Amino acid sequence: MIGSKYPVVIELEEFEEGWFSGQYAYTSTLRKSGDNVCSWLLINPSYEAPETQWAIRDCKPDVVETWSNVKFDGKHLTARMKNVKGTTYDVVATVTQQANESAPLTSFFKQHIGEMVCDFDMFNYLPIKFRLLNMMENSSYAALKEIYQTQGDIEYSKGMFYGSGFMAHQCCDPATVWAYDTDNNSFYVWIRKDGKDYWWSETGNIPIKFREIVRERF
């Protein structure tokens, strides 16, 4: 609750450094506008005090709120929120669910068929960013974003949403293809760099249908 009267949903991920990142949305906004990117506000640890202060951004992304004196023990969260108008509210939250599986992204990708990743900043959309980081780790994820310059539109085939890209003026090494598998709510990534192929999968296996898409593209 914000200000003891505005219900919100908060999703957080904890990092080894002891700080949190994630997103939150007003339940009234989700009912009115649906579960889309701009229904959520992004939670980022502040540069000044990442353990106790959060910068809250909208989908533009502009800083719209500051949460200070953040205290979270894994079960209860309290903070003091100040918005761009200078109005302050108390934030009080209780953990009601710890997700063991990530929420499906089928409806999200349906909204972006025919668009390019850069059109909606997909790699910085937190639910996707966290999953790719967990799967690939920092250096490989950074390489994926660096390679993804000349881009194709997002397509759907074989039960998967997917996209591809390569380094500008260097077709087709380095190059990359990613896919989101609606059959099992999993991501796959392929990167070719210096003539070598690298594969990642949230399930631990690379399905034939993803390999076929990679061969079709590169």
Side-chain angles (χ1 to χ4, degrees):
M1 301 289 288
I2 291 181
S4 301
K5 58 180 179 180
Y6 302 111
V8 299
V9 178
I10 303 176
E11 297 179 351
L12 293 175
E13 180 161 343
E14 184 176 9
F15 291 82
E16 293 181 359
E17 294 87 347
W19 46 264
F20 294 85
S21 190
Q23 61 183 2
Y24 91 91
Y26 289 85
T27 54
S28 58
T29 302
L30 293 175
R31 284 195 298 267
K32 181 179 179 180
S33 303
D35 186 3
N36 60 66
V37 175
C38 288
S39 292
W40 293 86
L41 296 171
L42 305 182
I43 297 170
N44 297 283
S46 71
Y47 177 78
E48 295 83 1
E51 293 85 6
T52 59
Q53 185 168 304
W54 294 348
I56 312 298
R57 301 178 183 273
D58 60 17
C59 61
K60 293 182 180 179
D62 298 320
V63 176
V64 294
E65 297 171 1
T66 299
W67 290 16
S68 58
N69 197 29
V70 177
K71 297 178 181 178
F72 183 49
D73 61 7
K75 188 64 178 177
H76 301 95
L77 181 148
T78 59
R80 187 69 169 168
M81 183 263 272
K82 183 177 182 180
N83 62 25
V84 290
K85 296 180 180 179
T87 307
T88 59
Y89 297 97
D90 288 320
V91 182
V92 178
T94 300
V95 174
T96 58
Q97 178 182 353
Q98 289 183 307
N100 292 321
E101 295 184 359
S102 300
L105 292 163
T106 302
S107 60
F108 172 83
F109 281 115
K110 280 183 177 179
Q111 300 176 49
H112 298 292
I113 283 285
E115 298 180 29
M116 294 185 293
V117 163
C118 63
D119 292 333
F120 59 104
D121 201 15
M122 187 189 93
F123 291 135
N124 285 320
Y125 179 52
L126 292 181
I128 294 175
K129 178 179 179 179
F130 288 150
R131 291 178 62 173
L132 294 180
L133 274 170
N134 286 336
M135 180 175 71
M136 304 178 69
E137 300 184 348
N138 288 330
S139 60
S140 299
Y141 181 65
L144 165 66
K145 294 198 295 181
E146 182 183 8
I147 292 167
Y148 215 93
Q149 296 180 9
T150 301
Q151 306 180 19
D153 294 342
I154 292 177
E155 302 179 60
Y156 180 80
S157 179
K158 308 178 191 294
M160 296 189 296
F161 295 95
Y162 60 92
S164 60
F166 58 88
M167 193 82 77
H169 312 298
Q170 298 185 49
C171 182
C172 294
D173 185 348
T176 183
V177 178
W178 62 269
Y180 172 75
D181 193 340
T182 62
D183 291 338
N184 57 12
N185 182 25
S186 295
F187 277 101
Y188 315 114
V189 172
W190 165 85
I191 288 177
R192 173 179 292 151
K193 189 173 183 180
D194 298 327
K196 296 182 179 180
D197 291 347
Y198 303 89
W199 305 82
W200 291 267
S201 167
E202 285 189 303
T203 66
N205 297 309
I206 306 297
I208 294 298
K209 60 182 181 178
F210 180 59
R211 294 180 183 272
E212 290 175 344
I213 286 175
V214 171
R215 284 198 296 267
E216 291 168 1
R217 293 298 170 276
F218 296 102

